[in-house]
Amino acid sequence: MNKEQQPKVLFLMGPTASGKTALALELAEKHNCEIISVDSALIYRGMDIGSAKPSAEELARGPHRLIDIRDPGESYSAADFRTDALAEIEQIISMGKTPLLVGGTMMYFKALLEGLSPLPSASEAIRAEIQAEADTKGWEVLHDQLREIDPVSAERIHPNDPQRLSRALEVYRISGKSLTELTQTKSAPLPYDVVQFAIAPRERKVLHNLIAQRFQIMLQQGFINEVTQLKTRSDLHLDLPSMRCVGYRQCWQYLDGEFDYDTMVEKAVAATRQLAKRQLTWLRSWPELNWLESGAEGNLVTLMRQCR
């Protein structure tokens, strides 16, 4: 089947606060499409305000798939997302509708589009073993171990990057194969006609202002109370992926008394701006991308033209 005969799938990517949700809802109302969320924070239940989760009114206008599918105490990988998203896409297409994937978690988009290497699932026991070694010997020694088994990954991973270093060692200890060896093969790429859009303001200053304004709105909506509720749970802590989401970590630390309210706001806004910068860096090197300017009048028409 050539590209023209394949079912069409739309990607709407962009940095945080760029207007993706509003545009997606407009398109969902005007065209026969269904929204799939591509966001590593929206998957968590009870994390609504700080993740800018669509409101009940917005979800009534345009239901989002793959939100509220995990508890904050659980993990969720790019591989998990790919499996779930492929199932949702298939179901939407079987209904005669167009899947519209919307979000800013670029690793999820990349995993879906290009496929993933057959890496083993995480092992809590081996991770704890690696962490214990790091605590006694130091990460430099573990980096030397990685250099022996996988010099290519050791060149790419800095000794001061414990998360990636630990994962590279974990993969080897589980599978007996290096990360470099395993990543030479990937699962099949997305078998559809994918049309990719990215939306962002033309000026970086505009995006920075939008981020600061949105965080103030979150605070007015009760974000601190939301994090206070999460902190009452004994199983949640700052090392979990859910609590590493921007805003949540800084608010948690504020509630722990690590800094005052104004510093919390400053740190949360700065962290969100850094996230937006990383998202834009991904997008600038993204192939086959159609750019839209946040708030531009013709955005909906441009998207609808691709839905035909």
Short mmCIF file of all heavy atoms in Angstrom, two decimals, residues 13 38 40 77-79 81-82 104-116 164 186 278-279 282 286:
data_model
loop_
_atom_site.label_atom_id
_atom_site.label_comp_id
_atom_site.label_asym_id
_atom_site.label_seq_id
_atom_site.Cartn_x
_atom_site.Cartn_y
_atom_site.Cartn_z
N MET A 13 2.24 18.85 17.48
CA MET A 13 3.26 18.93 18.52
C MET A 13 3.53 20.39 18.87
O MET A 13 3.08 21.30 18.18
CB MET A 13 4.55 18.27 18.02
CG MET A 13 4.36 16.84 17.58
SD MET A 13 5.86 16.05 16.93
CE MET A 13 5.83 16.59 15.24
N VAL A 38 -0.55 12.99 23.91
CA VAL A 38 0.85 12.55 23.88
C VAL A 38 1.59 13.37 24.92
O VAL A 38 2.32 14.31 24.62
CB VAL A 38 1.46 12.73 22.47
CG1 VAL A 38 2.84 12.09 22.40
CG2 VAL A 38 0.55 12.13 21.40
N SER A 40 3.40 13.03 28.96
CA SER A 40 3.84 12.16 30.05
C SER A 40 3.33 12.60 31.41
O SER A 40 3.50 11.88 32.40
CB SER A 40 5.37 12.09 30.08
OG SER A 40 5.93 13.37 30.26
N SER A 77 6.42 4.00 30.36
CA SER A 77 7.55 4.21 29.46
C SER A 77 7.10 4.60 28.06
O SER A 77 5.91 4.52 27.73
CB SER A 77 8.37 2.91 29.37
OG SER A 77 7.60 1.91 28.71
N ALA A 78 8.07 5.00 27.25
CA ALA A 78 7.78 5.29 25.84
C ALA A 78 7.26 4.04 25.14
O ALA A 78 6.40 4.13 24.25
CB ALA A 78 9.04 5.80 25.15
N ALA A 79 7.76 2.87 25.54
CA ALA A 79 7.27 1.61 24.96
C ALA A 79 5.81 1.36 25.34
O ALA A 79 5.01 0.91 24.51
CB ALA A 79 8.14 0.45 25.42
N PHE A 81 3.66 3.69 26.02
CA PHE A 81 2.88 4.65 25.24
C PHE A 81 2.67 4.14 23.81
O PHE A 81 1.57 4.21 23.27
CB PHE A 81 3.56 6.03 25.20
CG PHE A 81 2.90 6.94 24.20
CD1 PHE A 81 1.71 7.58 24.50
CD2 PHE A 81 3.45 7.12 22.93
CE1 PHE A 81 1.08 8.39 23.57
CE2 PHE A 81 2.83 7.92 21.99
CZ PHE A 81 1.63 8.56 22.30
N ARG A 82 3.74 3.63 23.21
CA ARG A 82 3.64 3.18 21.81
C ARG A 82 2.58 2.07 21.68
O ARG A 82 1.76 2.10 20.77
CB ARG A 82 4.99 2.68 21.31
CG ARG A 82 5.01 2.41 19.81
CD ARG A 82 6.41 2.08 19.31
NE ARG A 82 6.48 2.32 17.87
CZ ARG A 82 6.16 1.42 16.95
NH1 ARG A 82 5.76 0.22 17.31
NH2 ARG A 82 6.26 1.72 15.67
N GLY A 104 3.29 17.35 23.88
CA GLY A 104 4.64 17.89 23.84
C GLY A 104 5.71 16.93 24.33
O GLY A 104 6.85 17.33 24.52
N THR A 105 5.34 15.64 24.54
CA THR A 105 6.35 14.67 24.96
C THR A 105 6.99 14.07 23.71
O THR A 105 6.49 13.11 23.13
CB THR A 105 5.72 13.58 25.86
OG1 THR A 105 5.13 14.21 26.99
CG2 THR A 105 6.79 12.59 26.34
N MET A 106 8.08 14.68 23.31
CA MET A 106 8.68 14.37 22.01
C MET A 106 9.20 12.93 21.94
O MET A 106 9.16 12.31 20.88
CB MET A 106 9.82 15.36 21.71
CG MET A 106 9.41 16.83 21.82
SD MET A 106 7.86 17.22 20.95
CE MET A 106 8.27 16.70 19.32
N MET A 107 9.67 12.39 23.06
CA MET A 107 10.13 11.00 23.07
C MET A 107 9.00 10.04 22.71
O MET A 107 9.22 9.03 22.04
CB MET A 107 10.71 10.66 24.45
CG MET A 107 11.29 9.26 24.53
SD MET A 107 12.70 9.02 23.43
CE MET A 107 13.98 9.84 24.39
N TYR A 108 7.79 10.35 23.15
CA TYR A 108 6.63 9.51 22.81
C TYR A 108 6.35 9.57 21.31
O TYR A 108 6.10 8.55 20.66
CB TYR A 108 5.39 9.97 23.58
CG TYR A 108 5.35 9.61 25.04
CD1 TYR A 108 6.43 9.01 25.69
CD2 TYR A 108 4.22 9.88 25.80
CE1 TYR A 108 6.36 8.68 27.04
CE2 TYR A 108 4.14 9.56 27.15
CZ TYR A 108 5.21 8.97 27.76
OH TYR A 108 5.15 8.66 29.10
N PHE A 109 6.35 10.79 20.76
CA PHE A 109 6.13 10.94 19.32
C PHE A 109 7.19 10.17 18.53
O PHE A 109 6.88 9.48 17.56
CB PHE A 109 6.18 12.41 18.92
CG PHE A 109 4.89 13.17 19.11
CD1 PHE A 109 4.80 14.19 20.04
CD2 PHE A 109 3.77 12.88 18.34
CE1 PHE A 109 3.61 14.90 20.21
CE2 PHE A 109 2.59 13.58 18.50
CZ PHE A 109 2.50 14.60 19.44
N LYS A 110 8.43 10.30 18.96
CA LYS A 110 9.53 9.64 18.24
C LYS A 110 9.41 8.13 18.30
O LYS A 110 9.59 7.42 17.30
CB LYS A 110 10.87 10.09 18.84
CG LYS A 110 12.11 9.58 18.07
CD LYS A 110 13.38 10.14 18.70
CE LYS A 110 14.63 9.57 18.04
NZ LYS A 110 14.77 9.97 16.63
N ALA A 111 9.06 7.61 19.49
CA ALA A 111 8.89 6.16 19.66
C ALA A 111 7.77 5.64 18.76
O ALA A 111 7.88 4.57 18.16
CB ALA A 111 8.60 5.84 21.12
N LEU A 112 6.69 6.40 18.68
CA LEU A 112 5.55 5.99 17.87
C LEU A 112 5.88 6.03 16.39
O LEU A 112 5.57 5.11 15.64
CB LEU A 112 4.37 6.91 18.17
CG LEU A 112 3.06 6.61 17.43
CD1 LEU A 112 2.57 5.20 17.75
CD2 LEU A 112 2.00 7.64 17.80
N LEU A 113 6.55 7.08 15.98
CA LEU A 113 6.84 7.30 14.56
C LEU A 113 7.90 6.34 14.03
O LEU A 113 7.74 5.75 12.96
CB LEU A 113 7.29 8.74 14.36
CG LEU A 113 7.41 9.25 12.92
CD1 LEU A 113 6.05 9.28 12.25
CD2 LEU A 113 8.03 10.65 12.90
N GLU A 114 8.97 6.16 14.80
CA GLU A 114 10.14 5.43 14.29
C GLU A 114 10.26 4.00 14.81
O GLU A 114 11.03 3.21 14.27
CB GLU A 114 11.42 6.20 14.66
CG GLU A 114 11.49 7.58 14.05
CD GLU A 114 12.77 8.31 14.44
OE1 GLU A 114 13.59 7.73 15.18
OE2 GLU A 114 12.94 9.46 14.00
N GLY A 115 9.51 3.66 15.84
CA GLY A 115 9.67 2.36 16.46
C GLY A 115 10.71 2.40 17.57
O GLY A 115 11.42 3.40 17.74
N LEU A 116 10.79 1.34 18.33
CA LEU A 116 11.70 1.28 19.48
C LEU A 116 12.59 0.04 19.40
O LEU A 116 12.21 -0.97 18.82
CB LEU A 116 10.91 1.22 20.79
CG LEU A 116 10.31 2.54 21.28
CD1 LEU A 116 9.31 2.25 22.38
CD2 LEU A 116 11.38 3.48 21.78
N ARG A 164 20.88 7.75 32.97
CA ARG A 164 21.20 7.05 31.73
C ARG A 164 22.31 6.02 31.92
O ARG A 164 22.30 4.95 31.32
CB ARG A 164 21.59 8.07 30.65
CG ARG A 164 20.43 8.94 30.22
CD ARG A 164 20.87 10.07 29.32
NE ARG A 164 21.27 9.59 28.01
CZ ARG A 164 22.15 10.21 27.22
NH1 ARG A 164 22.74 11.31 27.63
NH2 ARG A 164 22.43 9.72 26.03
N LYS A 186 15.19 -2.02 15.42
CA LYS A 186 14.00 -1.34 15.93
C LYS A 186 12.74 -2.04 15.45
O LYS A 186 12.76 -2.73 14.43
CB LYS A 186 13.96 0.12 15.46
CG LYS A 186 14.87 1.06 16.22
CD LYS A 186 14.59 2.49 15.82
CE LYS A 186 15.40 3.47 16.67
NZ LYS A 186 15.07 4.87 16.35
N ARG A 278 13.77 22.64 25.54
CA ARG A 278 14.11 21.28 25.09
C ARG A 278 13.14 20.79 24.02
O ARG A 278 13.55 20.16 23.04
CB ARG A 278 14.12 20.31 26.28
CG ARG A 278 15.24 20.55 27.28
CD ARG A 278 15.40 19.38 28.23
NE ARG A 278 14.22 19.11 29.03
CZ ARG A 278 13.93 19.71 30.19
NH1 ARG A 278 14.76 20.64 30.68
NH2 ARG A 278 12.85 19.40 30.86
N GLN A 279 11.87 21.09 24.20
CA GLN A 279 10.87 20.68 23.21
C GLN A 279 11.14 21.33 21.85
O GLN A 279 11.07 20.68 20.80
CB GLN A 279 9.46 21.05 23.70
CG GLN A 279 9.00 20.20 24.88
CD GLN A 279 7.77 20.78 25.57
OE1 GLN A 279 7.63 21.99 25.73
NE2 GLN A 279 6.86 19.89 25.96
N TRP A 282 14.11 19.73 20.06
CA TRP A 282 13.69 18.52 19.36
C TRP A 282 13.03 18.89 18.02
O TRP A 282 13.36 18.32 16.98
CB TRP A 282 12.63 17.78 20.21
CG TRP A 282 13.14 16.82 21.22
CD1 TRP A 282 13.53 17.10 22.49
CD2 TRP A 282 13.28 15.39 21.09
NE1 TRP A 282 13.89 15.95 23.16
CE2 TRP A 282 13.75 14.89 22.32
CE3 TRP A 282 13.04 14.50 20.04
CZ2 TRP A 282 13.98 13.53 22.54
CZ3 TRP A 282 13.27 13.15 20.26
CH2 TRP A 282 13.74 12.68 21.49
N TRP A 286 13.36 18.16 13.62
CA TRP A 286 12.36 17.16 13.27
C TRP A 286 12.09 17.20 11.76
O TRP A 286 11.79 18.26 11.22
CB TRP A 286 11.07 17.44 14.02
CG TRP A 286 10.17 16.26 14.23
CD1 TRP A 286 9.23 15.81 13.37
CD2 TRP A 286 10.11 15.41 15.38
NE1 TRP A 286 8.58 14.72 13.90
CE2 TRP A 286 9.11 14.44 15.13
CE3 TRP A 286 10.81 15.35 16.58
CZ2 TRP A 286 8.78 13.45 16.05
CZ3 TRP A 286 10.48 14.37 17.48
CH2 TRP A 286 9.48 13.43 17.22
#
